[in-house]
Amino acid sequence: MCRGDDTAVVALADDLSGAAEAAALLRLPARLVLHADDLGVSGADGEAVVVDLDSRYLDDEAAADAVRAAVDAVGTATGRAPAGTRTDTDTTASRAFRALNSRESYGSPLWFKKCDSLLRGPVGAEAVAFAEGAEVLVIATALPAARRVVRGGVVLVDGVPLHECAAWRAEERAAPRSVAEALAPLPTADVPLETVRQGPIALAGRFRELTVRGRHPVCDAETDTDLTVITTAAALLGPGARLLGSGGLAAALGRRLAARRAHGPSAETGPTAARPKATEPFATRPTGPPMAVRSAGPAAAVAPGAPAPSAGPMAASVSATPSGDAEPASHPSTAAEPAVTGAAIPAVPVDASARPAVEDGGSGGAGGVARPLLVVAGSAEPVVTEQIGRLIAAGARHLPLKPEELAGAKGVVLPELATGTVTVLSVDGSDGVRPGAARAVVAGLARAVSALPGRPDLVLTGGETARRVLDSLGVTTLRPVGEIHHGAVHCRTDDGRSVVTRPGSFGGPDSFVHIAAALRPSQQGATL
């Protein structure tokens, strides 16, 4: 992985929100594709190509096939051997002992596989397929920004082991007791935190020892610094190493790539990375403490099933607290965001490159009138309820939909959305989460959205929801242009509309409010 600055980065993810998150955290120009057939590495030098495998809910065999198809698509584009084909007959030489600046490393894609930090989906089958053709798979699933760490090979969520917390309440099977169990049948070995903290050179030596034994390292990590050390150590192994992990590992890789662009290959040997320039993609998200919103007080949370309050204006003054820290993890995904009044959505400052284009048919609409903004909240995460309530209190229209109607044969017909309005769709969860019914409900939600006239801008919460909606609209490629907050990635479609994707469990109570404000920074007095 010690490569030239123009090396292509290829990232695979099992759902759309994870793919968009990885694209943002890699801090590179990116092309996000929804089908492996479009994955070929043919873009600009140094471009990240990220593919949504849409495999979160596939069985093991189908998910593994999706990974192999993506790897083979890149192999075809670069003239390299398909997945699982060894081209090095000297097994000793192939054990990742190449020199740091070996010319063999240039021209090979840098491979990253994004997995869910809660280990949901067929992660084991995908890991086995992703490891084919690699010399070592370096694994680190911690996501410190969301208070999800790995200690002793076990995922801890707010200090509670994954298999003992409620994170898997909507899944149809029990949570794994360890990362190694989730990755089975991949042969792995745990790398404890004290080994990680010995530094990149010592850690790379441990990786080599495990590689000779035919084991792939599963690394403990509790901080972003731990993850940066892991990516740096993996880089010392040469191009035969691949990375597998959560958005935390993607962020660490992005920091290393930013350091190389800023300072050259010599930056590779240190555990820290330089801050990217403000003009670089995905270096535009405000940093430091959350925005300080000048408001009279916090908004009352409104239950998703409650009627929407009367419409309010869509603007308030906001001040940002400056900070020199540009780490993605400086914005914990579950941190409380600033309170806003029930009468206003704050105009959060966002870099112009991350704002929707105002053009004919663009987000500005004809004559400068904004398109409707539709928030589709398909996630079952409890935090989404409060996020919806805050957006309603800020003046958005709310359309709660019954799950049985969405999953039914007749479907749901949505009312037409007026220009310049903000509407939030949600699934009425008053009867609780019903495992196994979610996919039919999300499919119905996607059908309802696709039948709407016009081309509203979209905020799509939950990877499954995002993918089904975009499939129903015929969208096959997204161009990420900025990140509104950690995990909330703003993309554009080929036809010019804005799409923001966000994992369901991400964001504080005001996540939707800030996303709406970022997409409509100058909208004031809009009647919703």
Side-chain angles (χ1 to χ4, degrees), residues 13-181:
D14 67 351
D15 76 348
L16 185 56
S17 61
E21 179 193 6
L25 294 174
L26 288 171
R27 302 189 184 191
L28 295 170
R31 176 164 50 98
L32 200 168
V33 300
L34 276 61
H35 302 284
D37 291 346
D38 300 325
L39 184 59
V41 182
S42 57
D45 289 344
E47 179 184 68
V49 185
V50 185
V51 64
D52 171 26
L53 299 173
D54 194 22
S55 56
R56 174 69 62 84
Y57 297 101
L58 297 180
D59 61 38
D60 286 354
E61 184 177 359
D65 286 345
V67 171
R68 294 187 184 103
V71 174
D72 289 351
V74 174
T76 299
T78 59
R80 296 181 177 274
T85 302
R86 297 198 62 86
T87 59
D88 195 336
T89 57
D90 185 347
T91 56
T92 301
S94 71
R95 292 293 186 182
F97 293 105
R98 294 186 174 90
L100 185 64
N101 292 313
S102 169
R103 296 296 299 180
E104 292 180 25
S105 64
Y106 299 144
S108 299
L110 191 163
W111 285 98
F112 175 79
K113 174 68 177 68
K114 165 74 170 59
C115 74
D116 180 50
S117 61
L118 298 175
L119 304 177
R120 294 170 296 187
V123 292
E126 292 190 356
V128 169
F130 190 58
E132 294 171 359
E135 291 162 359
V136 61
L137 191 58
V138 176
I139 301 151
T141 65
L143 185 59
R147 299 190 292 274
R148 298 168 187 174
V149 305
V150 177
R151 189 182 306 137
V154 175
V155 175
L156 303 178
V157 182
D158 285 324
V160 179
L162 178 62
H163 60 279
E164 295 178 6
C165 69
W168 274 50
R169 64 192 170 280
E171 303 298 311
E172 297 182 58
R173 55 193 177 92
R177 303 179 71 88
S178 67
V179 178
E181 180 182 321

Side-chain angles (χ1 to χ4, degrees), residues 228-240:
T228 301
V229 169
I230 291 165
T231 59
T232 305
L236 299 177
L237 300 180

Side-chain angles (χ1 to χ4, degrees), residues 169-474:
R169 64 192 170 280
E171 303 298 311
E172 297 182 58
R173 55 193 177 92
R177 303 179 71 88
S178 67
V179 178
E181 180 182 321
L183 294 175
L186 186 75
T188 61
D190 291 343
V191 177
L193 194 61
E194 53 267 26
T195 302
V196 172
R197 291 183 175 175
Q198 289 176 1
I201 294 175
L203 184 59
R206 180 56 177 159
F207 290 166
R208 292 179 180 119
E209 292 172 4
L210 294 176
T211 301
V212 171
R213 291 167 44 194
R215 298 280 170 175
H216 301 280
V218 173
C219 301
D220 283 1
E222 294 184 345
T223 67
D224 289 323
T225 299
D226 296 333
L227 294 171
T228 301
V229 169
I230 291 165
T231 59
T232 305
L236 299 177
L237 300 180
R242 296 178 180 177
L243 289 169
L244 183 149
S246 70
L249 194 64
L253 179 57
R255 291 191 294 272
R256 187 177 67 78
L257 294 172
R260 284 181 59 84
R261 290 196 303 276
H263 300 291
S266 61
E268 192 104 317
T269 57
T272 59
R275 184 159 50 99
K277 298 177 182 178
T279 55
E280 290 179 340
F282 305 110
T284 60
R285 178 162 37 85
T287 59
M291 295 292 179
V293 180
R294 302 189 189 102
S295 62
V302 181
S310 59
M314 293 282 291
S317 58
V318 180
S319 64
T321 304
S323 169
D325 182 2
E327 290 240 339
S330 65
H331 294 266
S333 62
T334 54
E337 296 180 13
V340 298
T341 67
I345 289 182
V348 180
V350 178
D351 183 86
S353 66
R355 288 177 180 165
V358 179
E359 56 189 347
D360 183 28
S363 295
V369 178
R371 286 174 174 163
L373 177 62
L374 180 64
V375 178
V376 184
S379 173
E381 293 291 336
V383 70
V384 174
T385 299
E386 186 173 5
Q387 292 166 350
I388 292 170
R390 298 271 179 119
L391 188 59
I392 296 168
R397 180 186 188 185
H398 184 211
L399 298 175
L401 305 174
K402 294 289 186 182
E404 57 271 19
E405 294 177 351
L406 288 168
K410 292 184 178 179
V412 173
V413 178
L414 299 175
E416 186 171 351
L417 307 179
T419 57
T421 61
V422 177
T423 302
V424 56
L425 300 182
S426 69
V427 180
D428 183 355
S430 57
D431 293 334
V433 177
R434 290 189 288 274
R439 299 205 78 189
V441 171
V442 170
L445 196 60
R447 287 193 298 270
V449 172
S450 66
L452 279 169
R455 295 182 300 167
D457 290 333
L458 299 169
V459 178
L460 306 174
T461 301
E464 176 75 0
T465 298
R467 179 59 190 251
R468 299 286 78 80
V469 168
L470 294 182
D471 281 347
S472 69
L473 293 171

